[in-house]
Amino acid sequence: VGRSFIDFVHPRDCKTFASQITSGLTSPINAYGMQERVQTAPAPVSVMVCRLRRYRGLTAGFGVIQRIVTFMPFLLKLFFKDISDEKGQSMFLVIQATPFFTAFKKSNEKITKAIPFVIRHAAVGNIEYVDSASVSYLGYMPQDIINTNVLKLYHPDDLIYLSKIYETIMKEGGVPRCQAYRILAQNGDYVKVETEWSSFINPWSKKLEFVTGTHHIVEGPTNTNVFQSPDSTKVLKQTEEEKKKTQMLRDTIIGIMTEVLTKPAEIAKQQMNKRCQDLATFMGSLLDETPKNEEELRLEIHEPEYSYYEKDSVLLGGISPHHEYTDSKSSTETPLN
């Protein structure tokens, strides 16, 4: 109590934490360009994954300095609350912190009921979104792997199979749950996943915008603690020839994703063209309708006298081509021509 919360946030997460607070402090802007606080609306909640420092308790003497600093991952829910006390009304930041624990209990554990998580990446492979549900399975903080190339997370020996998966995605727009392959966890080990793939292809440029994978863990890593730092002695070692082959396969997959004139693009374009045609047909039918009699279109509006600043013609939603500010009456009986 009395310590600054930011002192417990991991240095790599401070920027993300600060941006969440800044966005929470931003008040909505009304129609007049003024900031206002909506009193009736519930406080918006920001959600983020963050590492918090474990408290180094002093158990004997002054040995706390020698103790290793450790961090734990948490899911933080942040919101601001106005609280009145004897000193007046103050704004407080309320933080609900839920710890993450590794999802695995034993080495290479077979998983049957894992919670699926989503990772979305662009056509060049850069990760754009990571579901927080992945933290317990992969060990990464989402902000740590944003803009990382997803192909570097795939096991090199699975890239040939995955190249065929990406070819199918480009031809069909998606793939149902595929066979198991390996994804690199934060601790340097691999987990086996089965993935449902979908994509979005721009109907105008006919190019892939992004690929979304819904991943289901089917087998855990050898080291169950996915939050542990990678063991340099267990890093996958490749010869120079193997590294070149791996990079060639990654380049091949990127080449597949950056193709144009794909079947899904043609389908998306056809759907867009059909919607445009339907809209044009609908608008044409409106213009071709026979106008009704003038008497049916004329509206009689009875309203109290206002100053000429307040009154306006009321015709079909307040739109009228006739308006004179110097006139003492509004043009309320103007027929449609």
Side-chain angles (χ1 to χ4, degrees), residues 78-94:
L78 317 171
F79 64 93
F80 289 91
K81 188 173 183 179
D82 293 327
I83 299 178
S84 299
D85 54 20
E86 63 275 3
K87 298 180 181 179
Q89 192 175 47
S90 302
M91 179 184 291
F92 287 84
L93 172 63
V94 181

Side-chain angles (χ1 to χ4, degrees), residues 142-167:
Q143 58 268 27
D144 285 350
I145 57 173
I146 293 295
N147 292 323
T148 298
N149 196 300
V150 71
L151 302 181
K152 293 183 178 180
L153 300 182
Y154 300 153
H155 194 287
D157 293 345
D158 294 333
L159 290 174
I160 294 177
Y161 168 69
L162 287 168
S163 66
K164 297 177 181 178
I165 292 294
Y166 279 99
E167 283 180 353

Side-chain angles (χ1 to χ4, degrees), residues 15-256:
K15 184 177 179 180
T16 305
F17 181 76
S19 66
Q20 291 287 341
I21 296 176
T22 304
S23 61
L25 280 172
T26 304
S27 300
I29 298 177
N30 59 25
Y32 302 100
M34 303 293 290
Q35 287 190 328
E36 60 181 4
R37 294 188 62 82
V38 181
Q39 300 296 335
T40 57
V45 178
S46 297
V47 180
M48 67 168 293
V49 179
C50 178
R51 286 157 291 203
L52 299 181
R53 178 168 60 83
R54 284 177 177 269
Y55 177 66
R56 295 189 293 176
L58 187 62
T59 56
F62 296 94
V64 67
I65 298 177
Q66 282 75 36
R67 300 189 66 177
I68 298 173
V69 178
T70 57
F71 291 84
M72 271 191 67
F74 284 83
L75 180 69
L76 302 187
K77 294 183 179 179
L78 317 171
F79 64 93
F80 289 91
K81 188 173 183 179
D82 293 327
I83 299 178
S84 299
D85 54 20
E86 63 275 3
K87 298 180 181 179
Q89 192 175 47
S90 302
M91 179 184 291
F92 287 84
L93 172 63
V94 181
I95 302 174
Q96 178 183 340
T98 305
F100 280 105
F101 299 100
T102 180
F104 310 107
K105 297 179 181 178
K106 57 184 179 180
S107 296
N108 305 111
E109 180 181 2
K110 305 296 183 182
I111 308 295
T112 56
K113 295 183 179 179
I115 298 173
F117 57 88
V118 172
I119 296 178
R120 186 181 71 234
H121 66 80
V124 293
N126 291 346
I127 296 174
E128 297 178 336
Y129 170 79
V130 182
D131 194 342
S132 61
S134 68
V135 175
S136 294
Y137 296 104
L138 299 181
Y140 299 107
M141 303 298 103
Q143 58 268 27
D144 285 350
I145 57 173
I146 293 295
N147 292 323
T148 298
N149 196 300
V150 71
L151 302 181
K152 293 183 178 180
L153 300 182
Y154 300 153
H155 194 287
D157 293 345
D158 294 333
L159 290 174
I160 294 177
Y161 168 69
L162 287 168
S163 66
K164 297 177 181 178
I165 292 294
Y166 279 99
E167 283 180 353
T168 306
I169 292 172
M170 295 302 292
K171 291 177 181 177
E172 305 297 334
V175 175
R177 191 158 169 166
C178 68
Q179 297 177 12
Y181 64 97
R182 288 161 288 185
I183 288 183
L184 183 67
Q186 193 275 152
N187 64 0
D189 283 350
Y190 285 88
V191 297
K192 287 186 178 180
V193 302
E194 295 176 357
T195 303
E196 300 164 16
W197 304 90
S198 62
S199 65
F200 175 74
I201 296 177
N202 191 314
W204 286 277
S205 66
K206 299 182 182 180
K207 290 186 177 181
L208 177 73
E209 293 287 341
F210 57 80
V211 173
T212 301
T214 302
H215 304 284
H216 304 259
I217 300 289
V218 294
E219 185 178 315
T222 303
N223 179 4
T224 59
N225 185 4
V226 292
F227 302 115
Q228 187 174 318
S229 299
D231 186 348
S232 58
T233 62
K234 295 182 179 180
V235 175
L236 182 65
K237 293 180 173 60
Q238 290 184 298
T239 63
E240 288 301 319
E241 189 64 28
E242 289 173 332
K243 289 179 180 179
K244 289 180 181 179
K245 182 180 177 182
T246 297
Q247 189 57 48
M248 285 178 62
L249 287 169
R250 288 171 180 163
D251 293 340
T252 299
I253 294 175
I254 292 176
I256 291 170

Side-chain angles (χ1 to χ4, degrees), residues 238-305:
Q238 290 184 298
T239 63
E240 288 301 319
E241 189 64 28
E242 289 173 332
K243 289 179 180 179
K244 289 180 181 179
K245 182 180 177 182
T246 297
Q247 189 57 48
M248 285 178 62
L249 287 169
R250 288 171 180 163
D251 293 340
T252 299
I253 294 175
I254 292 176
I256 291 170
M257 289 192 289
T258 52
E259 286 181 357
V260 295
L261 296 174
T262 58
K263 178 181 175 181
E266 293 298 327
I267 294 174
K269 185 176 181 181
Q270 290 171 10
Q271 291 174 344
M272 189 61 65
N273 288 340
K274 186 177 183 304
R275 292 190 64 184
C276 293
Q277 290 172 2
D278 291 344
L279 180 59
T281 303
F282 174 72
M283 295 301 295
S285 65
L286 288 181
L287 296 174
D288 291 340
E289 285 184 359
T290 305
K292 296 182 178 181
N293 295 331
E294 286 187 3
E295 292 299 324
E296 296 179 16
L297 294 173
R298 186 179 296 118
L299 299 178
E300 296 286 345
I301 305 298
H302 300 281
E303 56 184 19
E305 289 293 328

